[in-house]
Amino acid sequence: MPLDKRSGGPYASPNAALGGLPSVIPDIPICAVFMALYIGFAATNMTILQKNRRRSHKFMISGMLFGFCMARTTTLVLRIAWANRQHNVRLAIAANIFVNAGVLLVYIINLILAQRILRAKQPRIGWNPILRVAYKILYALIAGALVMVITSTVVSVYTLDKHTHSQCRDVQLAATTLLLIITCLPILHILVAFLFPRSEQQESFGKGSMTSKVIIVALSSALCILIAGFKSGINWETPRPVTDPAWFHSKACFYVFNFVLEILILTLLTFSRIDKRFHIPNGSTKPGDYTRLELQLDKEEEMDQVPASVEMKNSASPL
């Protein structure tokens, strides 16, 4: 039976890949440093989430950032294990899948934050039922892109058939290009929010100015576009043999365009306190809810504080 028709596997890819084959030096020390950073951000975001939960300040995006950090920690653990077992193809598959999967949570976070800006500046557009359905479709597409990448990666390493490899590559190109387009959508939200005629029903939400919110989303989205654009660009390049990698397959590019840029995003989103700036009242479902429910919540807090202050005053009064 011809070699290219043989089934079985998994087989190591003959093509050069981003980051190449990890080795004990320098990959393990670098991965250890990034692991420490991700664990630190995971602890920080979990602390923020729990403190907010205790005072009924619901902001689940902090939980998503925690999940992203833990996924990246797993990614680095797998890469360290792969560096110690370089010929373990199954371990290589798992490591590469996690590299591509983790950052999708940040793409979703940027979309959610941009959506809140759009709904505040252009309520009629942002709360439109058609747009709500579109968001659900976008989230499904992100999940679908992840499934496409995982499936094509696994299928490609369990066959030597060139036609199957070509089909898997087409699937990966479609998935990475789709993700690149999705990373651009938050910028489109901002443009629509500010370039369309000013709405008389526009609202405010959270702490801080709208300008600061826009800067945070724009910077985070720009970094995500850089990450997704670099990965998509590599995939669109003609595959090169593993013995002749290009400059963009280097370990430096792998760590910079994955983990360094992601740490910058985490720094921006965590220390800018998006849990305060982008918080919206629970139950917001239509135009006006950002303001109306926020005022209602403030009144309830004032009423809760009055009995407490009266009780303290009575306990301090002389008998």
Side-chain angles (χ1 to χ4, degrees), residues 295-309:
L295 290 174
Q296 181 180 345
L297 182 61
D298 291 341
K299 289 180 180 179
E300 290 176 356
E301 290 180 352
E302 290 177 1
M303 291 178 66
D304 290 340
Q305 291 174 359
V306 169
S309 61

Side-chain angles (χ1 to χ4, degrees), residues 4 7 12 25 53 57 62 86 98 107 141 149 166 208 232 250 258-259 297 306:
D4 60 350
S7 61
I25 301 295
R53 185 182 62 82
H57 182 94
S62 295
Q86 293 184 334
F98 268 87
Y107 297 170
L141 287 174
V149 171
S166 177
S232 181
S250 66
N258 280 296
F259 306 118
L297 182 61
V306 169

Side-chain angles (χ1 to χ4, degrees), residues 22-288:
S23 55
V24 174
I25 301 295
D27 289 270
I28 290 182
I30 294 174
C31 289
V33 171
F34 280 115
M35 277 182 61
L37 291 173
Y38 280 113
I39 290 172
F41 276 108
T44 302
N45 281 286
M46 179 52 68
T47 300
I48 292 173
L49 179 67
Q50 294 302 324
K51 285 186 175 180
N52 286 332
R53 185 182 62 82
R54 293 190 194 102
R55 58 189 184 92
S56 300
H57 182 94
K58 185 179 179 181
F59 194 79
M60 296 309 298
I61 293 178
S62 295
M64 293 175 67
L65 288 173
F66 169 79
F68 167 64
C69 292
M70 296 309 296
R72 272 301 179 241
T73 302
T74 303
T75 302
L76 292 164
V77 168
L78 287 171
R79 189 163 179 84
I80 289 174
W82 183 17
N84 285 283
R85 295 172 175 82
Q86 293 184 334
H87 300 293
N88 190 322
V89 179
R90 290 183 176 86
L91 198 56
I93 296 170
N96 287 325
I97 286 174
F98 268 87
V99 167
N100 293 314
V103 74
L104 299 186
L105 280 174
V106 179
Y107 297 170
I108 295 173
I109 289 172
N110 285 336
L111 196 57
I112 293 173
L113 299 182
Q115 180 190 53
R116 295 182 180 182
I117 292 175
L118 178 61
R119 286 176 170 176
K121 298 295 292 184
Q122 301 287 345
R124 291 184 179 179
I125 299 175
W127 292 103
N128 190 290
I130 297 177
L131 201 57
R132 289 188 182 186
V133 175
Y135 287 130
K136 293 179 181 179
I137 294 174
L138 279 176
Y139 298 143
L141 287 174
I142 292 174
L146 175 59
V147 172
M148 289 165 64
V149 171
I150 293 174
T151 303
S152 60
T153 300
V154 173
V155 169
S156 65
V157 299
Y158 277 90
T159 182
L160 295 174
D161 185 76
K162 294 182 179 180
H163 179 65
T164 303
H165 282 174
S166 177
Q167 290 179 321
C168 289
R169 182 171 182 270
D170 291 341
V171 171
Q172 292 174 353
L173 287 175
T176 55
T177 303
L178 173 63
L179 291 175
L180 175 59
I181 293 172
I182 289 175
T183 59
C184 298
L185 293 181
I187 301 296
L188 180 61
H189 279 63
I190 294 173
L191 292 176
V192 172
F194 286 90
L195 294 182
F196 274 51
R198 181 175 179 178
S199 173
E200 296 179 356
Q201 299 176 332
Q202 64 178 334
E203 304 178 80
S204 61
F205 62 92
K207 306 294 183 182
S209 66
M210 184 62 72
T211 301
S212 65
K213 296 179 176 68
V214 170
I215 291 173
I216 291 169
V217 174
L219 288 176
S220 180
S221 298
L223 291 172
C224 286
I225 291 171
L226 185 57
I227 293 171
F230 182 77
K231 291 180 179 179
S232 181
I234 289 178
N235 286 333
W236 277 100
E237 281 285 333
T238 303
R240 299 172 66 113
V242 69
T243 55
D244 184 30
W247 65 268
F248 45 77
H249 292 125
S250 66
K251 295 182 188 294
C253 288
F254 173 78
Y255 287 109
V256 169
F257 284 95
N258 280 296
F259 306 118
V260 171
L261 294 182
E262 289 175 2
I263 291 296
L264 291 177
I265 294 171
L266 279 171
T267 302
L268 174 66
L269 297 181
T270 302
F271 293 112
S272 65
R273 295 306 302 269
I274 60 172
D275 60 300
K276 293 182 178 180
R277 294 180 185 273
F278 287 89
H279 177 258
I280 59 173
N282 294 340
S284 298
T285 57
K286 58 183 181 297

